[in-house]
Amino acid sequence: MARYDKGHRDATRPHIIDVASAQFRERGIAAVGLAGIMSAAGLTNGAFYTHFESKEDLVRAVLLDALERREQRHKDNLENGIALETTIRDYLSPRHRDHAGTGCPTAALASEIARHPKTTRDAFTAKMSDIIALMAAQMPDGTAAERRRRAMSVYATMVGALQLSRAVSDKQLSEEILENAVKAALALANGR
């Protein structure tokens, strides 16, 4: 049996999460098997259970990791004074549409997450609430409750539009969906 350098196990778990995250977002959770993830990660199937109890455990880890990264982007934007408009335009861009594997896990996986166990949905819910709160903090004017309501509407518009833009086969229609969603999200964000 080969021995690994100290720290190999600690580095392996995040690597498996990264590989699974890209595969889940590109192809869907149900369509991705553990054997494919481990092969792409350059590991044996048996090594999986050293790091995760089950595929569902991996799904939760992927969601938390991906949503924490997205949350950190929102925090960085807020701290650096980057306008919510920039976030909206970046999210609803052709680049984001065309790269689901590195994009928003919510747009890529929300319909599947709805069918997962409560513990997975609870983890997703907590992170979504954090992201909505950060978006609300970037909203101009209004009470905290009004800004939260608008942030929910903006995020729902962004996620839904991104999903639709990916689903249609007509490139021009896809572009129109993105462009019109930017306008709608900005109007919502500004309370119009």
Coordinates of all heavy atoms in Angstrom, one line a residue, residues 128-182:
M128 N -28.6 30.7 1.1 CA -29.4 31.6 0.3 C -29.8 32.8 1.1 O -29.8 33.9 0.6 CB -30.6 30.9 -0.3 CG -30.4 29.8 -1.4 SD -29.3 30.4 -2.7 CE -30.0 32.0 -3.1
S129 N -30.2 32.6 2.3 CA -30.6 33.7 3.2 C -29.5 34.7 3.4 O -29.7 35.9 3.4 CB -31.1 33.2 4.5 OG -32.3 32.4 4.3
D130 N -28.3 34.1 3.5 CA -27.1 35.0 3.7 C -26.8 35.8 2.4 O -26.5 37.0 2.5 CB -25.8 34.2 4.0 CG -25.9 33.5 5.4 OD1 -26.7 33.9 6.2 OD2 -25.1 32.5 5.6
I131 N -26.9 35.2 1.3 CA -26.7 35.9 0.0 C -27.8 37.0 -0.2 O -27.5 38.1 -0.6 CB -26.7 34.9 -1.2 CG1 -25.4 34.1 -1.1 CG2 -26.8 35.7 -2.5 CD1 -25.3 32.9 -2.0
I132 N -29.0 36.7 0.1 CA -30.1 37.7 0.0 C -29.9 38.8 0.9 O -30.0 40.0 0.5 CB -31.5 37.0 0.2 CG1 -31.8 36.1 -1.0 CG2 -32.6 38.0 0.5 CD1 -33.0 35.2 -0.8
A133 N -29.4 38.6 2.1 CA -29.1 39.7 3.1 C -28.0 40.6 2.6 O -28.1 41.8 2.7 CB -28.7 39.1 4.4
L134 N -27.0 40.0 1.9 CA -25.9 40.8 1.4 C -26.4 41.6 0.2 O -26.0 42.8 0.1 CB -24.7 39.9 1.0 CG -23.9 39.3 2.1 CD1 -23.0 38.2 1.6 CD2 -23.1 40.4 2.8
M135 N -27.2 41.1 -0.6 CA -27.8 41.8 -1.7 C -28.7 43.0 -1.2 O -28.6 44.1 -1.7 CB -28.6 40.9 -2.6 CG -27.8 40.0 -3.5 SD -28.8 39.0 -4.6 CE -29.1 40.2 -5.9
A136 N -29.4 42.7 -0.1 CA -30.3 43.7 0.5 C -29.5 44.9 1.0 O -29.8 46.0 0.9 CB -31.2 43.1 1.6
A137 N -28.3 44.6 1.5 CA -27.4 45.6 2.0 C -26.9 46.5 0.9 O -26.5 47.7 1.2 CB -26.2 45.0 2.8
Q138 N -26.9 46.1 -0.3 CA -26.5 46.9 -1.4 C -27.6 47.7 -2.0 O -27.4 48.5 -2.9 CB -25.9 46.0 -2.5 CG -24.5 45.5 -2.2 CD -23.9 44.7 -3.3 OE1 -24.3 43.6 -3.6 NE2 -23.0 45.4 -4.0
M139 N -28.9 47.5 -1.6 CA -30.0 48.1 -2.2 C -30.1 49.6 -1.7 O -29.8 49.9 -0.5 CB -31.3 47.4 -1.7 CG -31.5 46.0 -2.2 SD -32.0 45.9 -3.8 CE -31.8 44.2 -4.2
P140 N -30.4 50.5 -2.6 CA -30.6 51.9 -2.2 C -31.9 52.1 -1.5 O -32.9 51.4 -1.9 CB -30.5 52.6 -3.5 CG -31.0 51.6 -4.5 CD -30.6 50.3 -4.0
D141 N -32.0 52.9 -0.5 CA -33.2 53.4 0.1 C -34.1 52.2 0.6 O -34.0 51.1 0.3 CB -34.0 54.2 -0.9 CG -33.2 55.4 -1.5 OD1 -32.4 55.9 -0.7 OD2 -33.3 55.7 -2.7
G142 N -35.1 52.7 1.4 CA -36.1 51.7 1.9 C -35.7 51.2 3.3 O -34.6 51.2 3.7
T143 N -36.8 50.6 3.9 CA -36.5 50.0 5.2 C -35.8 48.6 4.9 O -35.7 48.2 3.8 CB -37.9 49.7 5.9 OG1 -38.6 48.7 5.1 CG2 -38.7 50.9 6.1
A144 N -35.3 48.0 6.0 CA -34.6 46.8 5.9 C -35.6 45.7 5.3 O -35.2 44.9 4.4 CB -34.2 46.3 7.3
A145 N -36.8 45.7 5.7 CA -37.8 44.8 5.1 C -38.0 45.0 3.6 O -38.1 44.0 2.9 CB -39.1 44.8 5.9
E146 N -38.1 46.3 3.2 CA -38.3 46.6 1.8 C -37.1 46.1 1.0 O -37.3 45.6 -0.1 CB -38.6 48.1 1.6 CG -39.9 48.5 2.1 CD -40.0 50.1 2.2 OE1 -39.0 50.8 2.2 OE2 -41.2 50.5 2.3
R147 N -35.9 46.4 1.5 CA -34.7 46.1 0.8 C -34.6 44.5 0.7 O -34.2 44.0 -0.4 CB -33.5 46.7 1.5 CG -33.4 48.2 1.3 CD -32.0 48.8 1.7 NE -31.4 48.2 2.9 CZ -31.6 48.6 4.1 NH1 -32.5 49.6 4.3 NH2 -31.0 48.1 5.1
R148 N -34.9 43.8 1.7 CA -34.9 42.3 1.7 C -35.9 41.8 0.7 O -35.6 40.9 -0.1 CB -35.2 41.8 3.1 CG -35.1 40.3 3.2 CD -35.3 39.8 4.6 NE -35.1 38.4 4.7 CZ -36.0 37.4 4.6 NH1 -37.3 37.8 4.3 NH2 -35.8 36.2 4.7
R149 N -37.1 42.4 0.6 CA -38.1 41.9 -0.3 C -37.6 42.2 -1.7 O -37.7 41.3 -2.6 CB -39.4 42.7 -0.1 CG -40.5 42.4 -1.1 CD -41.7 43.3 -1.0 NE -41.4 44.7 -0.9 CZ -41.1 45.5 -2.0 NH1 -41.0 44.9 -3.2 NH2 -40.9 46.7 -1.9
R150 N -37.0 43.3 -2.0 CA -36.5 43.6 -3.3 C -35.3 42.7 -3.7 O -35.2 42.3 -4.8 CB -36.1 45.1 -3.4 CG -37.3 46.0 -3.4 CD -37.0 47.5 -3.8 NE -35.7 48.0 -3.6 CZ -35.3 48.9 -2.7 NH1 -36.1 49.4 -1.9 NH2 -34.0 49.4 -2.7
A151 N -34.4 42.4 -2.7 CA -33.3 41.5 -2.9 C -33.8 40.1 -3.3 O -33.2 39.5 -4.2 CB -32.4 41.5 -1.7
M152 N -34.8 39.6 -2.7 CA -35.4 38.3 -3.0 C -35.9 38.4 -4.5 O -35.7 37.4 -5.2 CB -36.6 37.9 -2.1 CG -36.1 37.4 -0.8 SD -37.6 36.8 0.1 CE -37.2 37.3 1.7
S153 N -36.6 39.4 -4.8 CA -37.2 39.5 -6.2 C -36.0 39.6 -7.2 O -36.1 39.0 -8.3 CB -38.1 40.8 -6.3 OG -39.2 40.6 -5.4
V154 N -35.0 40.4 -6.9 CA -33.9 40.5 -7.8 C -33.2 39.2 -8.0 O -32.9 38.8 -9.1 CB -32.9 41.6 -7.3 CG1 -31.6 41.5 -8.1 CG2 -33.5 43.0 -7.4
Y155 N -32.9 38.5 -6.9 CA -32.2 37.2 -7.0 C -33.0 36.2 -7.8 O -32.5 35.4 -8.6 CB -31.8 36.7 -5.6 CG -30.7 35.7 -5.7 CD1 -29.4 36.0 -6.3 CD2 -30.8 34.4 -5.3 CE1 -28.4 35.1 -6.4 CE2 -29.8 33.5 -5.3 CZ -28.6 33.8 -5.9 OH -27.6 32.9 -6.0
A156 N -34.3 36.1 -7.5 CA -35.2 35.2 -8.2 C -35.3 35.5 -9.7 O -35.2 34.6 -10.5 CB -36.6 35.2 -7.6
T157 N -35.3 36.8 -10.0 CA -35.3 37.2 -11.4 C -34.0 36.7 -12.1 O -33.9 36.2 -13.2 CB -35.4 38.7 -11.5 OG1 -36.7 39.1 -11.0 CG2 -35.3 39.2 -13.0
M158 N -32.9 37.0 -11.4 CA -31.5 36.6 -11.9 C -31.4 35.1 -12.2 O -31.0 34.7 -13.2 CB -30.4 37.1 -11.0 CG -30.3 38.6 -11.0 SD -29.3 39.2 -9.6 CE -27.8 38.4 -9.8
V159 N -31.8 34.3 -11.1 CA -31.6 32.9 -11.2 C -32.6 32.3 -12.3 O -32.1 31.5 -13.2 CB -32.0 32.2 -9.9 CG1 -32.1 30.7 -10.0 CG2 -30.9 32.5 -8.9
G160 N -33.8 32.7 -12.3 CA -34.8 32.2 -13.3 C -34.4 32.6 -14.7 O -34.5 31.8 -15.7
A161 N -33.9 33.8 -14.9 CA -33.5 34.3 -16.3 C -32.3 33.5 -16.7 O -32.2 33.1 -17.9 CB -33.2 35.8 -16.2
L162 N -31.3 33.3 -15.8 CA -30.1 32.5 -16.2 C -30.5 31.1 -16.6 O -30.1 30.6 -17.6 CB -29.1 32.5 -15.1 CG -27.8 31.9 -15.4 CD1 -27.1 32.6 -16.6 CD2 -26.9 31.9 -14.2
Q163 N -31.4 30.5 -15.9 CA -31.9 29.1 -16.2 C -32.6 29.1 -17.6 O -32.3 28.2 -18.4 CB -32.9 28.6 -15.1 CG -32.2 28.3 -13.8 CD -33.2 27.9 -12.7 OE1 -34.3 28.5 -12.6 NE2 -32.8 26.9 -11.9
L164 N -33.5 30.1 -17.8 CA -34.2 30.1 -19.1 C -33.2 30.4 -20.3 O -33.3 29.8 -21.3 CB -35.2 31.2 -19.1 CG -36.5 30.9 -18.3 CD1 -37.4 32.1 -18.2 CD2 -37.2 29.7 -18.8
S165 N -32.2 31.3 -20.0 CA -31.3 31.6 -21.1 C -30.4 30.4 -21.5 O -30.0 30.2 -22.6 CB -30.4 32.8 -20.7 OG -29.4 32.4 -19.8
R166 N -30.2 29.5 -20.5 CA -29.5 28.3 -20.8 C -30.3 27.2 -21.5 O -29.8 26.3 -22.2 CB -28.9 27.7 -19.5 CG -27.7 28.5 -18.9 CD -27.3 27.9 -17.6 NE -26.1 28.6 -17.1 CZ -25.7 28.6 -15.9 NH1 -26.3 27.8 -15.0 NH2 -24.6 29.2 -15.5
A167 N -31.6 27.2 -21.2 CA -32.5 26.2 -21.7 C -33.0 26.3 -23.1 O -33.2 25.3 -23.8 CB -33.7 26.1 -20.8
V168 N -33.1 27.6 -23.6 CA -33.6 27.8 -24.9 C -32.5 27.5 -26.0 O -31.3 27.7 -25.7 CB -34.2 29.2 -25.1 CG1 -35.3 29.5 -24.2 CG2 -33.1 30.3 -25.0
S169 N -33.0 27.0 -27.1 CA -32.0 26.7 -28.2 C -31.8 27.8 -29.2 O -30.8 27.8 -30.0 CB -32.6 25.5 -29.0 OG -33.8 25.8 -29.6
D170 N -32.5 28.9 -29.1 CA -32.4 30.1 -29.9 C -31.5 31.1 -29.2 O -31.8 31.7 -28.2 CB -33.8 30.7 -30.1 CG -33.8 31.9 -31.0 OD1 -32.8 32.6 -31.1 OD2 -34.9 32.2 -31.6
K171 N -30.3 31.3 -29.8 CA -29.3 32.1 -29.2 C -29.7 33.6 -29.1 O -29.5 34.2 -28.0 CB -28.0 32.1 -30.1 CG -26.8 32.7 -29.4 CD -26.2 31.7 -28.4 CE -24.8 32.0 -28.1 NZ -24.2 31.1 -27.2
Q172 N -30.5 34.1 -30.1 CA -31.0 35.4 -30.0 C -32.0 35.6 -28.8 O -32.0 36.6 -28.1 CB -31.6 35.9 -31.3 CG -32.1 37.3 -31.2 CD -32.6 37.8 -32.6 OE1 -32.4 37.2 -33.6 NE2 -33.3 38.9 -32.6
L173 N -32.9 34.6 -28.7 CA -33.8 34.6 -27.6 C -33.1 34.6 -26.3 O -33.5 35.3 -25.3 CB -34.8 33.5 -27.7 CG -35.8 33.3 -26.6 CD1 -36.7 34.6 -26.5 CD2 -36.7 32.1 -26.8
S174 N -32.1 33.8 -26.2 CA -31.3 33.7 -25.0 C -30.7 35.0 -24.6 O -30.7 35.4 -23.4 CB -30.2 32.6 -25.1 OG -29.4 32.5 -24.0
E175 N -30.1 35.7 -25.6 CA -29.6 37.0 -25.4 C -30.7 38.0 -24.9 O -30.4 38.8 -24.0 CB -28.9 37.6 -26.6 CG -27.8 36.7 -27.2 CD -26.5 36.8 -26.3 OE1 -26.3 37.8 -25.6 OE2 -25.7 35.8 -26.3
E176 N -31.8 38.0 -25.5 CA -32.9 38.8 -25.1 C -33.4 38.6 -23.7 O -33.7 39.5 -22.9 CB -34.1 38.7 -26.0 CG -33.9 39.2 -27.4 CD -35.1 39.0 -28.3 OE1 -36.3 39.4 -27.9 OE2 -35.0 38.3 -29.3
I177 N -33.4 37.3 -23.3 CA -33.8 37.0 -21.9 C -32.8 37.6 -21.0 O -33.2 38.3 -20.0 CB -33.8 35.4 -21.7 CG1 -35.0 34.8 -22.5 CG2 -33.9 35.1 -20.2 CD1 -35.0 33.3 -22.6
L178 N -31.5 37.5 -21.2 CA -30.5 38.1 -20.3 C -30.6 39.6 -20.3 O -30.6 40.2 -19.2 CB -29.1 37.7 -20.8 CG -28.7 36.2 -20.6 CD1 -27.4 35.9 -21.2 CD2 -28.8 35.8 -19.2
E179 N -30.7 40.2 -21.5 CA -30.8 41.7 -21.5 C -32.0 42.2 -20.8 O -31.9 43.2 -20.0 CB -30.8 42.2 -23.0 CG -29.5 42.0 -23.7 CD -29.7 42.2 -25.2 OE1 -30.6 42.9 -25.6 OE2 -28.8 41.7 -25.9
N180 N -33.2 41.6 -21.0 CA -34.4 42.1 -20.4 C -34.4 41.8 -18.9 O -35.0 42.6 -18.1 CB -35.6 41.5 -21.1 CG -35.9 42.2 -22.4 OD1 -36.0 43.4 -22.5 ND2 -35.8 41.4 -23.5
A181 N -33.8 40.7 -18.5 CA -33.7 40.4 -17.1 C -32.8 41.4 -16.3 O -33.1 41.8 -15.2 CB -33.2 39.0 -16.9
V182 N -31.7 41.9 -17.0 CA -30.9 42.9 -16.4 C -31.7 44.1 -16.1 O -31.7 44.7 -15.0 CB -29.7 43.3 -17.3 CG1 -29.0 44.6 -16.8 CG2 -28.7 42.1 -17.3

